[in-house]
């Protein structure tokens, strides 16, 4: 079960203790609305942690502690840049003989601890824990008891609260007063490292980046110099009118993707819009904005950005595939068909594109074309296992094409592969009902409601089956659940609910339900006749 909350209401140390005591396994995602971090757990112990867009401190830690020389680090970074997807910095350094695996593991542990300590400083924002999530393949994992980090974390939180009073933003620029003598003063290693860099031009963030130290160490060192009167602020970095560095755009994109993956769509929208502003022809940002619109159910929002992608030259299959879905949900079926056809033309061997198109054709009533589409999808998929959606809709296409036995065989195969897919049971029941197997259909509908209690069509179908055999009380219960989930499910539901109340001699309730049926379908002459007869008696 997912755990989520606000960092103002539950601090990170409290959350860590909860996950440790519960021996949880999964990923804790945190954001302060401008940054994003992860902490992975395995049975209550921390195995990995990272912060999006935060400079990788591993190389800096190794240089700082004298294990490698700056030139060795630069060479390893250059090698990593040539193939960043496959090469990790630590593995490159081991392969070059610069460090041992034991040393790498030691400093990976320090790196992870520092990431957690930095997250401790976030006093606002939100967190989300998703069970059974693991770090990316190839990430070196450790095993740390969270309790061991809490004491040091609490100390840093206390110190950081004081540091923030003098250094409220990493965009501030400080300068060392060179007129004051420092000879004979006891300066920490961290202070000696940042003094040459504190020149009235570099921001605090640049001090962090160029010194190779973590935020806390730089903040503490600079705070001491400020308190002693050796450093003073000279302002903030003034915005420069120049091309935005790609690294800055990548930061916004990385944050956007992190927010998107964890369902924080408002924050993801903000980051991708920023990318689109900085790079007006960036197709990826607009495509992600469209995906966010689809996830949120805002199909017009999605279409706006999908059209921009196409206009900017991004006529890809994935764009038309998403466009088809948005248009279908808006009821623009002819346009959806065009988009689906275009997606299939651009990617004739992409299984998901073919499956979506086949389902759309079925909804349009093009039964034989849909059956051909499902067959093409299955051919392209090869030995892969189709998803539940394939079985749920392909069996309907077979039944509509007049091959009920083939449809039932397909449904049985789907149930074997996806025993908890409510839609397959629902549609299998529909085929059985058409064959006159009322008992089998009712059993399928009942199983569908058991597998997914939030599927209104399943409750309606079960209600219809119960109504047919005269089990009116149970039917009314099923209809009630159906309209509770979807009040506009259909006029026939309210018609039959009204009939049930009329049989119980509850005429007032029957009239109310029949009126709702007429609101949905004013052309239902049977309902209108019932209303006129009963209302004439009630007058």
């Amino acid at each position: 079960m997912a755990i989520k909350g606000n960092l103002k209401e539950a601090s990170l140390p409290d959350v860590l203790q909860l996950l440790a005591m519960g021996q949880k396994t999964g990923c804790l995602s945190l954001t302060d609305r401008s940054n994003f971090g992860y902490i992975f757990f395995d049975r209550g112990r921390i195995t990995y942690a990272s912060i999006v867009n935060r400079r990788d401190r591993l190389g800096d830690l190794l240089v700082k502690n004298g294990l490698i020389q700056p030139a060795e680090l630069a060479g390893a970074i250059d090698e990593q840049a040539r193939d960043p997807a496959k090469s990790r910095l630590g593995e490159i350094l081991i392969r070059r003989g610069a460090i041992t695996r034991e040393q790498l593991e030691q400093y990976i542990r320090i790196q992870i601890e520092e990431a957690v300590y930095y997250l401790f400083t976030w006093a606002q924002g939100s967190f989300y824990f998703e069970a059974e999530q693991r770090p990316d393949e190839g990430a070196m994992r450790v095993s740390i008891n969270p309790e061991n980090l809490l004491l040091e974390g609490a100390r840093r939180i206390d110190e950081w609260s004081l540091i923030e009073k003098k250094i409220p933003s990493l965009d501030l620029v400080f300068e060392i007063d060179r007129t004051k003598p420092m000879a004979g003063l006891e300066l920490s290693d961290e202070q000696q490292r940042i003094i040459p860099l504190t020149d009235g031009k570099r921001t605090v963030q640049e001090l962090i980046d160029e010194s190779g130290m973590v935020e806390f160490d730089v903040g503490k060192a600079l705070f001491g110099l400020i308190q002693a009167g050796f450093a003073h602020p000279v302002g903030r970095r003034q915005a420069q009118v120049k091309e935005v560095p790609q690294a800055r755009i990548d930061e916004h994109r990385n944050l956007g993707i992190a927010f998107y993956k964890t369902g924080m769509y408002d924050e993801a929208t903000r980051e991708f819009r920023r990318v689109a502003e900085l790079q007006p022809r960036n197709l990826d940002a607009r495509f992600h904005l469209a995906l966010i619109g689809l996830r949120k159910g805002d199909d017009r929002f999605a279409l706006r950005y999908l059209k921009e992608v196409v206009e900017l030259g991004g006529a890809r299959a994935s764009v038309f595939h998403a466009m088809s879905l948005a248009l279908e949900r808006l009821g623009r079926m002819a346009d959806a068909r065009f988009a689906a056809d275009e997606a299939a033309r651009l990617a004739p061997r992409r299984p998901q594109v073919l499956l979506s198109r086949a389902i759309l054709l079925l909804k349009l009533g093009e039964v034989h074309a849909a059956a051909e589409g499902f067959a093409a999808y299955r051919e392209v998929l090869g030995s892969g296992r189709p998803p539940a959606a394939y079985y749920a809709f392909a069996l309907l296409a077979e039944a509509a094409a007049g091959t009920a036995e083939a449809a039932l065989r397909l449904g049985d195969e789907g149930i074997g592969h996806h025993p908890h897919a409510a839609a397959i049971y629902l549609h299998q029941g529909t085929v059985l009902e058409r064959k006159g197997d009322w008992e089998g259909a009712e059993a399928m509908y009942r199983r569908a409601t058991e597998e997914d209690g939030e599927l209104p069509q399943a409750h309606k179908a079960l209600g219809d089956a119960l109504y047919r055999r005269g089990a009116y009380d149970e039917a009314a219960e099923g209809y009630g659940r159906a309209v509770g989930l979807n009040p506009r499910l259909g006029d026939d539901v309210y018609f039959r609910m009204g009939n049930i109340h009329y049989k119980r001699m509850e005429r007032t309730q029957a009239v109310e339900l029949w009126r709702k049926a007429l609101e949905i379908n004013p052309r239902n002459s049977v309902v209108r006749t019932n209303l006129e007869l009963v209302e004439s008696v009630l007058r």
Side-chain angles (χ1 to χ4, degrees), residues 3-79:
I3 302 171
K4 58 183 177 181
N6 192 298
L7 289 172
K8 285 186 176 180
E9 299 170 356
S11 67
L12 179 55
D14 292 337
V15 176
L16 293 189
Q17 284 186 312
L18 174 67
L19 297 175
M21 291 173 61
Q23 296 190 335
K24 300 294 185 181
T25 296
C27 177
L28 177 67
S29 304
L30 305 107
T31 178
D32 68 351
R33 306 299 172 184
S34 59
N35 296 293
F36 201 97
Y38 302 95
I39 304 176
F40 288 89
F41 291 80
D42 184 8
R43 288 175 292 182
R45 297 181 70 86
I46 294 173
T47 61
Y48 191 76
S50 65
I51 299 168
V52 175
N53 294 329
R54 188 171 185 253
R55 174 173 166 169
D56 189 344
R57 306 290 176 189
L58 176 62
D60 296 327
L61 284 169
L62 295 172
V63 170
K64 178 182 176 182
N65 288 275
L67 273 76
I68 61 174
Q69 296 300 313
E72 289 179 294
L73 175 60
I77 290 173
D78 287 342
E79 181 178 337

Side-chain angles (χ1 to χ4, degrees), residues 93-109:
L93 291 169
I94 290 175
R95 189 167 62 248
R96 290 180 166 214
I99 59 173
T100 66
R101 183 161 297 279
E102 290 72 20
Q103 289 172 326
L104 175 62
E105 291 175 355
Q106 176 188 353
Y107 283 94
I108 286 286
R109 183 185 181 94

Side-chain angles (χ1 to χ4, degrees), residues 252-275 284-306 322 325-326 329:
H252 288 294
R253 180 185 180 277
N254 293 341
L255 277 173
I257 291 173
F259 286 134
Y260 176 75
K261 285 182 176 180
T262 50
M264 301 179 67
Y265 299 128
D266 291 341
E267 291 79 5
T269 298
R270 179 193 67 214
E271 297 301 328
F272 285 121
R273 275 181 168 162
R274 184 60 179 147
V275 173
D284 179 72
R286 285 168 172 75
F287 185 60
H288 272 92
L289 286 166
L291 294 180
I292 291 168
L294 291 176
R295 289 289 183 92
K296 293 176 69 176
D298 191 343
D299 299 305
R300 288 183 172 81
F301 178 93
L303 276 177
R304 167 192 164 189
Y305 284 104
L306 290 169
L325 175 60
R329 295 199 308 207

Side-chain angles (χ1 to χ4, degrees), residues 171-233:
D171 293 330
L172 288 174
V173 177
F174 287 84
E175 185 177 38
I176 295 295
D177 187 348
R178 308 291 174 181
T179 63
K180 292 189 176 182
M182 292 188 183
L185 293 176
E186 290 189 12
L187 299 172
S188 68
D189 291 341
E190 292 78 11
Q191 288 173 330
Q192 292 180 23
R193 197 163 182 173
I194 69 167
I195 283 174
L197 302 173
T198 311
D199 56 1
K201 299 178 181 177
R202 293 178 172 89
T203 64
V204 178
Q205 183 61 60
E206 288 171 332
L207 296 182
I208 293 167
D209 293 338
E210 295 184 37
S211 69
M213 295 188 293
V214 296
E215 292 84 350
F216 178 79
D217 287 344
V218 171
K220 183 178 179 180
L222 185 57
F223 177 79
L225 293 171
I226 295 169
Q227 289 291 86
F230 290 111
H232 57 86

Side-chain angles (χ1 to χ4, degrees), residues 407-523:
L408 292 174
R409 286 195 298 272
L410 198 57
D412 289 338
E413 180 186 330
I415 289 171
H417 289 316
H418 304 281
H420 302 295
I424 301 178
Y425 292 107
L426 174 62
H427 295 172
Q428 187 83 329
T430 302
V431 179
L432 289 169
E433 184 177 322
R434 289 177 182 175
K435 287 193 66 183
D437 185 355
W438 314 115
E439 186 176 338
E442 182 180 327
M444 286 292 166
Y445 296 146
R446 195 177 297 277
R447 182 64 185 272
T449 62
E450 291 170 356
E451 294 296 343
D452 186 357
E454 302 298 310
L455 187 63
Q457 294 85 353
H459 290 291
K460 177 186 181 298
L462 179 59
D464 288 342
L466 293 165
Y467 184 91
R468 185 184 305 109
R469 67 176 176 86
Y472 297 124
D473 289 341
E474 288 184 80
E477 186 177 340
Y479 288 143
R481 288 175 181 162
V483 298
L485 293 165
N486 182 1
R488 306 290 294 180
L489 191 59
D491 58 304
D492 58 329
V493 180
Y494 291 101
F495 171 60
R496 289 178 181 145
M497 290 175 72
N499 292 348
I500 292 171
H501 281 282
Y502 185 77
K503 290 177 186 294
R504 295 172 177 169
M505 303 302 291
E506 298 168 348
R507 295 180 177 179
T508 303
Q509 293 92 323
V511 167
E512 290 177 358
L513 290 163
W514 287 335
R515 283 175 177 166
K516 284 186 179 180
L518 273 184
E519 287 176 11
I520 296 173
N521 182 11
R523 293 178 294 180

Side-chain angles (χ1 to χ4, degrees), residues 119-166:
L119 292 171
F120 277 164
T121 64
W122 294 4
Q124 60 182 0
S126 58
F127 62 86
Y128 181 86
F129 178 79
E130 188 170 2
E132 302 307 323
Q133 298 297 303
R134 311 282 179 177
D136 293 339
E137 186 177 352
M140 185 171 287
R141 308 179 193 185
V142 297
S143 181
I144 302 172
N145 185 343
E147 298 283 347
N148 296 339
L149 305 183
L150 295 180
L151 186 61
E152 172 65 13
R155 183 185 70 80
R156 293 196 181 198
I157 290 172
D158 289 341
E159 289 196 41
W160 193 257
S161 64
L162 295 175
I163 292 170
E164 279 188 315
K165 293 178 180 178
K166 297 293 184 180

